[in-house]
Amino acid sequence: MNQAVLSQKQAVVTEISDKMKSSQSTVVCEYRGLSVAEVTELRRNLREENVDFKVYKNSMFERACDECGFEELKNVLTGPNAFAFSEDATAPARVLAKFAKKHKALVLKSGIVEGKVVDEATIKELSSLPNRDGMLSMLLSCLQSPVSSFARVVKAVADAKESGAPVEAAAPAEETPAQEEAPQPEAAPAEETKPAEEAAA
């Protein structure tokens, strides 16, 4: 019987360890004071963002922390805690923080982000970031902006070359200042000859 219980506990610890290792983000939160309906709503919100939300005994989670090298996280494992796991580094923090604004009973404690233990302040900072798709979209828009502008310029030049005159006409326009400046050195001798002519008179 004892061996069976130990095997069950080890299975739970292994499950937690696997989740922590495969997740980009793990967030620890205390749900004391939330009603059953509120917990159900929270689970639904997290599920929509592909976040796995589990309740484990603190002792089981502590053992998993020891196995995975996240001993620092054990300091916050007091009270009834729930744990959010996700392959998205920001999704758990974002959903939990948004829910906590309306439901003060939910308390964000700490977590693991990309293999590092982070505190509550960092979790809240992460909550302001978009999800992975959102960040990729922002990055893509930043990259596309100068590229699209460059593409428009290249197309304009190509169209001008096909039509002929506009591109070729631009070159002489740039050379005209040099042509206008060319006669200027000849103006000085004209002024110098003036006194010589007067002397001859």
Side-chain angles (χ1 to χ4, degrees):
M1 181 64 180
N2 289 336
Q3 185 59 41
V5 172
L6 289 174
S7 297
Q8 290 176 354
K9 288 184 177 181
Q10 184 55 48
V12 173
V13 172
T14 301
E15 177 183 316
I16 298 170
S17 298
D18 290 344
K19 287 182 180 296
M20 285 195 289
K21 290 175 182 178
S22 62
S23 298
Q24 288 293 310
S25 177
T26 299
V27 177
V28 182
C29 59
E30 185 173 325
Y31 62 93
R32 190 201 309 268
L34 290 179
S35 66
V36 174
E38 289 171 335
V39 172
T40 301
E41 179 187 355
L42 176 58
R43 287 182 182 276
R44 182 173 62 252
N45 294 344
L46 289 165
R47 189 164 52 248
E48 289 174 355
E49 293 281 350
N50 297 317
V51 179
D52 189 14
F53 191 64
K54 296 285 188 179
V55 175
Y56 294 109
K57 289 184 178 180
N58 290 333
S59 58
M60 298 293 99
F61 201 87
E62 286 178 357
R63 288 174 59 183
C65 286
D66 288 334
E67 288 189 2
C68 297
F70 298 127
E71 291 84 359
E72 298 173 60
L73 202 58
K74 294 163 63 175
N75 297 328
V76 301
L77 299 179
T78 57
N81 294 307
F83 309 89
F85 306 90
S86 176
E87 294 181 0
D88 189 313
T90 64
R94 187 176 61 258
V95 177
L96 290 170
K98 182 178 179 180
F99 193 87
K101 288 181 179 179
K102 296 181 179 179
H103 305 83
K104 302 301 182 183
L106 181 67
V107 179
L108 305 185
K109 288 186 169 182
S110 184
I112 305 166
V113 178
E114 295 184 342
K116 296 182 180 180
V117 175
V118 297
D119 57 12
E120 178 189 357
T122 303
I123 294 296
K124 289 183 177 179
E125 288 178 6
L126 286 172
S127 69
S128 64
L129 298 175
N131 60 14
R132 182 175 181 275
D133 291 339
M135 288 190 287
L136 288 176
S137 177
M138 289 171 61
L139 176 62
L140 185 60
S141 65
C142 291
L143 292 175
Q144 283 181 335
S145 180
V147 171
S148 60
S149 299
F150 178 73
R152 284 195 295 271
V153 172
V154 171
K155 186 177 185 302
V157 172
D159 292 343
K161 285 184 177 180
E162 289 179 5
S163 62
V167 173
E168 295 176 358
E174 293 176 359
E175 294 174 1
T176 51
Q179 293 173 353
E180 291 175 0
E181 291 174 0
Q184 289 180 1
E186 297 177 0
E191 293 180 359
E192 292 174 2
T193 57
K194 198 170 185 181
E197 292 172 357
E198 291 176 356

